[in-house]
């Protein structure tokens, strides 16, 4: 059992990659060479330090990080996410991602808003052990679709005034997927803590198969040491009654008068302009913005322009050896 902990996400990511490289065993699921650790728990002590930045070896697309979080939290399975990660299209069936987390989180079987149910459960019984969100659905996920959730579910425990979150993963690509999952899941953690008037506790990430694909072993070994400065994202707490309306505005790229969420809105708006080919307008949109996502997006644009070879693919589970690309 691999157990790792860090105060912030970049260091947890770096320690995870080093440990899998050093302690993992070589296996080849679906014919893809992989180094794997079976059984791991990763603990992030300060969940608001969620943005991984291990430049120049591993740099995230902050626009996709923001968009994916919004897509999931809003309950969406809409095609607009493909603007931010075109690679996801190859995993659709009947025009949609059958394993999309959003509908399962906010409309399980078309009926249950699990996020609201857990919020209500914690408010009515703060010591409950029943604050559980389920994402894996046997009725759908054994049906042979291309997109099967790696995340099984989330649990929450409120103890001594702090809300702790526990995520269970059947599978985790440490290089491509882990940084984005830490980003989205800790936002969910922070929001729920705010809705139940709790301090933000530790984030726990349990994984059955924690792995690196063979072609990521070399870049994983090249992570910088020491790592760069730590970055804390601004608070994101908002009232529950305003949450869905706020998400609608932010997804549209419209400011909402909240420092943290306006940072999301501006990077979403900027990246849509970038993808439409209007790069000057995209860069102008974030030129004078100081939020951590806008700052990271300026760096991302610079890499796309000057050093595109340093950019790793946006996360999407490969289905063949040819799809394991850097």
């Amino acid at each position: 059992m691999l157990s790792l902990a860090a105060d912030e996400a970049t260091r947890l990511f770096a320690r995870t990659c080093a440990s899998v490289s050093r302690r993992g065993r070589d296996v080849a699921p679906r014919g893809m060479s992989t180094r794997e650790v079976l059984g791991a728990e990763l603990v992030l002590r300060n969940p608001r330090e969620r943005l991984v930045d291990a430049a120049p070896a591993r740099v995230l697309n902050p626009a996709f990080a923001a968009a994916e979080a919004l897509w999931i939290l809003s309950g969406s399975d809409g095609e607009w996410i493909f603007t931010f990660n075109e690679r996801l299209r190859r995993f659709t069936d009947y025009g949609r991602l059958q394993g999309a987390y959003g509908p399962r989180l906010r409309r399980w079987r078309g009926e249950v808003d699990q996020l609201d149910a857990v919020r209500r459960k914690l408010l009515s019984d703060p010591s409950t052990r029943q604050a559980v969100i389920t994402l894996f659905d046997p009725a759908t996920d054994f049906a042979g679709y291309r997109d099967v959730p790696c995340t099984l579910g989330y649990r929450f425990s409120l103890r001594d005034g702090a809300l702790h979150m526990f995520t269970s993963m059947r599978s985790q690509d440490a290089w491509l997927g882990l940084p984005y999952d830490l980003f989205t899941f800790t936002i969910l953690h922070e929001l729920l803590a705010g809705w139940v008037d709790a301090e933000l506790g530790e984030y726990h990430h349990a994984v059955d198969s924690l792995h690196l694909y063979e072609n990521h072993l070399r870049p994983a070994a090249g992570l910088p040491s020491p790592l760069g400065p730590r970055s804390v994202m601004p608070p994101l707490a908002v009232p529950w009654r305003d949450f869905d309306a706020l998400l609608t505005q932010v997804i549209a790229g419209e400011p909402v008068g909240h420092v943290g969420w306006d940072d999301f809105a501006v990077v979403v708006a900027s990246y849509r302009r970038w993808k439409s080919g209007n790069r000057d307008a995209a860069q102008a949109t974030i030129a004078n913005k100081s939020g951590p996502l806008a700052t990271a997006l300026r760096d991302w644009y610079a890499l796309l322009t000057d050093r595109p070879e340093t950019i790793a693919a946006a996360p999407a589970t490969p289905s063949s050896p040819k799809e394991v690309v850097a």
Side-chain angles (χ1 to χ4, degrees):
M1 179 75 176
L2 174 66
S3 296
L4 299 171
D7 289 336
E8 52 92 22
T10 299
R11 281 157 180 79
L12 186 59
F13 166 71
R15 291 172 188 173
T16 299
C17 290
S19 295
V20 173
S21 296
R22 183 175 64 252
R23 296 174 52 174
R25 298 181 61 185
D26 292 335
V27 295
R30 290 173 293 163
M32 294 177 289
S33 297
T34 307
R35 188 159 299 173
E36 174 188 69
V37 168
L38 278 180
E41 183 185 33
L42 314 177
V43 180
L44 183 58
R45 299 190 189 99
N46 299 324
R48 281 179 50 212
E49 297 189 52
R50 63 176 60 95
L51 187 60
V52 170
D53 182 5
R58 184 68 176 105
V59 182
L60 302 195
N61 176 349
F64 174 64
E68 183 182 40
L70 295 167
W71 190 63
I72 291 172
L73 290 168
S74 66
S76 179
D77 60 359
E79 293 185 359
W80 63 265
I81 194 63
F82 302 142
T83 298
F84 299 87
N85 183 354
E86 183 66 29
R87 294 179 73 235
L88 292 175
R89 284 189 187 275
R90 70 187 73 178
F91 302 104
T92 59
D93 290 280
Y94 308 110
R96 64 181 290 268
L97 291 163
Q98 300 294 325
Y101 294 5
R104 301 175 187 220
L105 175 68
R106 301 300 308 274
R107 299 186 307 281
W108 180 268
R109 302 286 177 87
E111 298 178 0
V112 182
D113 185 341
Q114 296 192 81
L115 188 56
D116 188 32
V118 164
R119 180 186 71 89
R120 291 173 180 271
K121 175 63 74 173
L122 286 165
L123 287 171
S124 65
D125 180 8
S127 297
T128 186
R129 294 187 292 265
Q130 299 175 16
V132 177
I133 291 172
T134 297
L135 295 180
F136 192 88
D137 182 356
T140 299
D141 298 328
F142 290 134
Y145 294 124
R146 294 181 180 92
D147 182 33
V148 177
C150 293
T151 309
L152 304 180
Y154 314 121
R155 285 101 54 220
F156 302 88
S157 295
L158 180 51
R159 299 291 184 269
D160 299 320
L163 186 71
H164 306 281
M165 180 173 175
F166 300 83
T167 294
S168 293
M169 308 281 295
R170 64 172 180 83
S171 177
Q172 180 77 81
D173 175 349
W175 186 254
L176 294 180
L178 178 62
Y180 290 96
D181 286 344
L182 291 175
F183 184 86
T184 293
F185 299 167
T186 57
I187 291 172
L188 173 59
H189 183 191
E190 180 182 353
L191 288 166
L192 194 54
W195 293 328
V196 301
D197 196 25
E199 296 295 321
L200 186 58
E202 291 184 337
Y203 173 78
H204 294 252
H205 194 82
V207 184
D208 297 344
S209 170
L210 180 63
H211 51 267
L212 290 164
Y213 290 103
E214 183 180 39
N215 70 319
H216 295 147
L217 290 171
R218 179 173 293 179
L223 289 171
S225 181
L227 296 167
R230 294 165 61 168
S231 174
V232 182
M233 293 192 66
L236 295 175
V238 293
W240 171 256
R241 65 180 179 274
D242 300 332
F243 183 54
D244 287 328
L246 176 144
L247 289 179
T248 298
Q249 283 189 253
V250 173
I251 290 168
E254 300 172 0
V256 293
H258 184 292
V259 170
W261 289 109
D262 284 351
D263 194 28
F264 280 70
V266 76
V267 300
V268 167
S270 173
Y271 199 72
R272 284 195 176 109
R273 292 176 180 129
W274 181 275
K275 292 294 285 187
S276 73
N278 195 344
R279 297 190 171 187
D280 289 341
Q283 292 174 325
T285 301
I286 57 171
N288 298 315
K289 305 300 181 180
S290 59
L293 293 174
T295 300
L297 189 57
R298 282 196 295 273
D299 294 340
W300 176 261
Y301 288 158
L303 286 174
L304 284 177
T305 303
D306 301 330
R307 299 176 60 193
E309 74 280 358
T310 66
I311 300 295
T317 303
S319 58
S320 72
K322 293 182 180 179
E323 290 184 357
V324 184
V325 295

